[in-house]
Amino acid sequence: MLDSIHVRGGNPLFGETKIQGSKNAVLPIMAAALLVEGVSVIENCPKITDVDHMQKLLTEIGCIIHWRNRSLYINASNANDNKMNSESVGKMRSSIMLLGAMLGRFGKAVMNYPGGCVIGARPIDIHLEALKKMGVSIEKEKSYFTATTDKLTGSVIELPIPSVGASENVILAAVNAKGVTILKNAAPEPEIVALCDFLKAAGAKIDIKEEKGKVIIVIYGGRALNPVTFRIPTDRIVAGTYMLGVLGVGGHVFLEDAPAGHMRAVIELAKEMNADVDITDKGIAVLADCIAKPIPYLETDIYPLFPTDLQSQLLSILTIADGESVICEKIFEDRLKIVPQLKKMGADITVNGNTATIRGVNRLKGTKVKAKELRGGAALVIAGIIAEGNTIISKRHFIERGYEDIARDFRNLGVIINNV
Ligand code: EPZ
C-alpha cells in the first residue's frame, strides 16, 4: 500500500455511514483505566492509530489489553512501571494524558516532553503548574521530566485558559488525591464530561457545574475505583467532517449515530448554508445544495462554538463558495498549514497571521497533494471530493490517527474513493 488515498471528485454525496467512537473521548478514558485495578471494558472504541499508540504505552507500563469486536479490555491490575518509553511518547502527543493517571496510580511519572506538532508548539505549562498545586514536584531534564508526589492533595486550581488536556490531567490526578479538588475554568468539551462519566461509573464522586459562563469541576478524591464497562460517545469531529463534505459538494446523506447534541455549531452553519438538517435519535440527515455559501467571518473558539478541529475542513468547502469568506483560527497558532495544498488545487486563499481569506473559484482541480497532520489531511479528502478529476492524498497515516477509514465512510456516501 502507498499510504495514500485516491478520490475522483465532482459528484454529490448520497448514502449513509455510521459514525465511529470519539478519538478525543477514548484517549483520556484509556488513561483513566490505569487507575482501576481490574478489567475496564471500553465499548464502541474507534480502531484508530492513536488508540493503538495509547494501547502500546499502557502495555509498556504493565497493562494487559486486548480487543473483542469493538470493545477494548484493559486490565491494569499489574501496571507497575512509571517510566514511559521515550520512542512511544514521541509518537503521540496525547501520551501527556497519562501523566495525571500515572501520578494517581504510582505517585511518579517519567516521560518525555510530548513535543509540538504541525499545528502548534503544544506546550504543557498549564498541566505542570496545575499538578504542582496538588503536591507534585517536577524535575526537568533536557528531553524528559520526572514528576513525583508523596501524596496527591486536593486543591483549588483555576486554569488560565480552559485547556482540554490540562483539565483531563487534573481530573485524573484528583480522583486519587487526598481531599477535594476544585477545578475552575475547566474545559467545557463533551470529552471532559465523558471522562467524568467513566470515572463516576467506576465509583468516583465528581460534580460539574457552571458559574458565570465558566465550568467548575469538583472531584472528591480517595474513593476506590472499580472495574466498569463504558460506551464511548460517537465522534463529533468525524461526523462534522462528513457533514461539511456534503455542504461542499451537495447531496443527501444520513450520518448514523452522529452526536447532534455535541454538534450545535456545525449544524447551525449547515442551516445558514440553507441545508436541511433533520435530527433524529438514530442520527442526522443532511440535504444540501451543490455549493457552499460564503461565510463573511467566523472564528474557531472554545466549545460549543465552532471547533478548531473542523476549521481546515471548512476552508476546503469555502474554496468554491460563491463569494469571499474569512476564517480566523483562535485556538492553535499554526493551524492554517493546509492552505498551500489547497492552492495547489486551484484555491484562491490568502493568509494573514491566523486569518485566512478565501475567494471562491469555479472549480478545484484534482492533483497530487500531501497530508501534514490529521484534520488537514481530512480537509484534503474533502477538497478531492469537491475537485474535478482525480486527487491523490499521500501520507494517509496522519488521517488514520483519528479516522478509522475515511475512504470507507465517504464510499458509503457514494464517493469514488479508495486507499492505495
Ligand atoms: C485537545 O488538544 C484535542 N486533542 C485537540 O484535538 C483539540 O483541538 C483541542 O483539545 C482543543 O479543543 C485531544 O483531545 C487528544 P488544549 P489539547 O490544551 O488538550 C494551549 C484533534 O485534531 N496550551 O485545549 O492539546 C495550546 O497550545 C486534536 O483531534 C498551552 O498554552 O488542547 C492551544 O493553543 C488537535 N499550555 C490551546 O491552549 C498548555 O499547557 C488549547 O489547547 C496546554 C495548552
Side-chain angles (χ1 to χ4, degrees):
M1 291 294 255
L2 299 175
D3 187 25
S4 297
I5 293 178
H6 171 227
V7 49
R8 164 83 56 83
N11 301 308
L13 304 186
F14 293 100
E16 61 182 74
T17 199
K18 190 173 173 58
I19 302 301
Q20 69 183 58
S22 163
K23 165 178 94 76
N24 291 348
V26 73
L27 294 175
I29 287 171
M30 288 177 76
L34 179 61
L35 296 169
V36 178
E37 300 206 22
V39 181
S40 301
V41 182
I42 299 175
E43 294 181 332
N44 195 33
C45 190
K47 291 182 184 280
I48 53 177
T49 55
D50 267 13
V51 166
D52 299 340
H53 283 142
M54 186 62 91
Q55 176 175 348
K56 189 166 183 299
L57 289 169
L58 287 168
T59 305
E60 283 165 0
I61 59 175
C63 294
I64 298 166
I65 303 177
H66 69 274
W67 285 90
R68 196 177 297 160
N69 300 327
R70 288 193 153 277
S71 295
L72 200 59
Y73 288 68
I74 301 178
N75 185 343
S77 307
N78 302 315
N80 53 20
D81 190 347
N82 53 38
K83 289 184 185 57
M84 298 305 306
N85 171 310
S86 54
E87 191 220 334
S88 308
V89 168
K91 274 190 182 162
M92 187 182 73
R93 283 206 70 268
S94 333
S95 50
I96 189 64
M97 229 166 277
L98 281 170
L99 176 57
M102 288 174 75
L103 286 165
R105 179 71 188 264
F106 307 125
K108 183 175 181 181
V110 182
M111 62 169 53
N112 280 40
Y113 292 99
C117 67
V118 170
I119 66 175
R122 313 294 293 274
I124 57 170
D125 53 318
I126 298 173
H127 298 240
L128 300 182
E129 286 314 306
L131 291 169
K132 282 179 187 169
K133 289 194 181 121
M134 299 177 72
V136 177
S137 61
I138 310 281
E139 280 165 51
K140 298 183 179 180
E141 308 292 339
K142 195 168 176 324
S143 66
Y144 71 94
F145 65 91
T146 303
T148 49
T149 178
D150 297 332
K151 185 87 192 126
L152 277 172
T153 311
S155 169
V156 178
I157 296 166
E158 180 150 11
L159 298 180
I161 56 170
S163 156
V164 171
S167 300
E168 290 163 347
N169 260 328
V170 169
I171 293 164
L172 289 164
V175 284
N176 271 1
K178 183 174 177 345
V180 180
T181 296
I182 300 175
L183 175 58
K184 297 183 174 180
N185 198 25
E189 272 72 3
E191 292 76 30
I192 301 288
V193 175
L195 172 61
C196 293
D197 287 346
F198 172 86
L199 290 165
K200 289 193 286 189
K205 184 174 179 349
I206 301 174
D207 295 334
I208 301 179
K209 50 192 176 188
E210 196 172 310
E211 262 174 32
K212 302 187 188 95
K214 295 199 174 185
V215 173
I216 297 176
I217 301 179
V218 184
I219 306 107
Y220 301 83
R223 293 162 69 107
L225 297 182
N226 307 302
V228 69
T229 295
F230 185 82
R231 183 172 183 78
I232 298 294
T234 50
D235 196 310
R236 62 190 172 98
I237 302 302
V238 169
T241 300
Y242 301 161
M243 182 177 283
L244 287 169
V246 74
L247 294 180
V249 74
H252 191 185
V253 303
F254 182 67
L255 305 177
E256 187 182 346
D257 292 344
H262 299 157
M263 298 171 66
R264 196 171 68 191
V266 68
I267 289 170
E268 282 314 309
L269 182 89
K271 290 178 178 170
E272 283 159 22
M273 290 191 173
N274 303 326
D276 286 337
V277 180
D278 181 21
I279 296 168
T280 72
D281 59 352
K282 296 272 185 293
I284 306 176
V286 185
L287 172 62
D289 293 339
C290 57
I291 192 159
K293 304 269 176 295
I295 298 174
Y297 183 77
L298 180 140
E299 290 180 349
T300 63
D301 212 330
I302 306 285
Y303 184 86
L305 299 177
F306 195 86
T308 175
D309 294 347
L310 288 177
Q311 176 260 101
S312 298
Q313 300 92 314
L314 177 60
L315 285 193
S316 285
I317 71 168
L318 293 173
T319 57
I320 58 166
D322 48 355
E324 180 174 286
S325 304
V326 177
I327 303 296
C328 178
E329 168 57 47
K330 277 182 59 185
I331 304 293
F332 288 105
E333 69 272 21
D334 216 356
R335 202 170 200 175
L336 293 169
K337 279 282 181 34
I338 195 64
V339 168
Q341 299 294 307
L342 293 175
K343 291 173 79 167
K344 204 177 161 189
M345 299 177 75
D348 178 359
I349 306 176
T350 48
V351 172
N352 183 1
N354 62 350
T355 301
T357 301
I358 310 104
R359 279 163 293 277
V361 295
N362 289 333
R363 260 278 171 255
L364 292 183
K365 288 258 178 301
T367 185
K368 286 184 180 175
V369 287
K370 191 183 291 182
K372 292 189 165 40
E373 38 84 28
L374 166 56
R375 306 300 175 184
L380 289 175
V381 174
I382 289 180
I385 289 168
I386 291 173
E388 246 167 16
N390 296 300
T391 299
I392 303 273
I393 299 112
S394 60
K395 308 278 186 197
R396 181 180 77 229
H397 63 271
F398 284 116
I399 304 172
E400 289 170 335
R401 283 194 44 220
Y403 296 78
E404 281 188 346
D405 188 342
I406 197 168
R408 171 201 67 197
D409 294 346
F410 271 125
R411 200 178 312 117
N412 289 341
L413 301 179
V415 180
I416 301 170
I417 181 170
N418 282 294
N419 293 330
V420 292

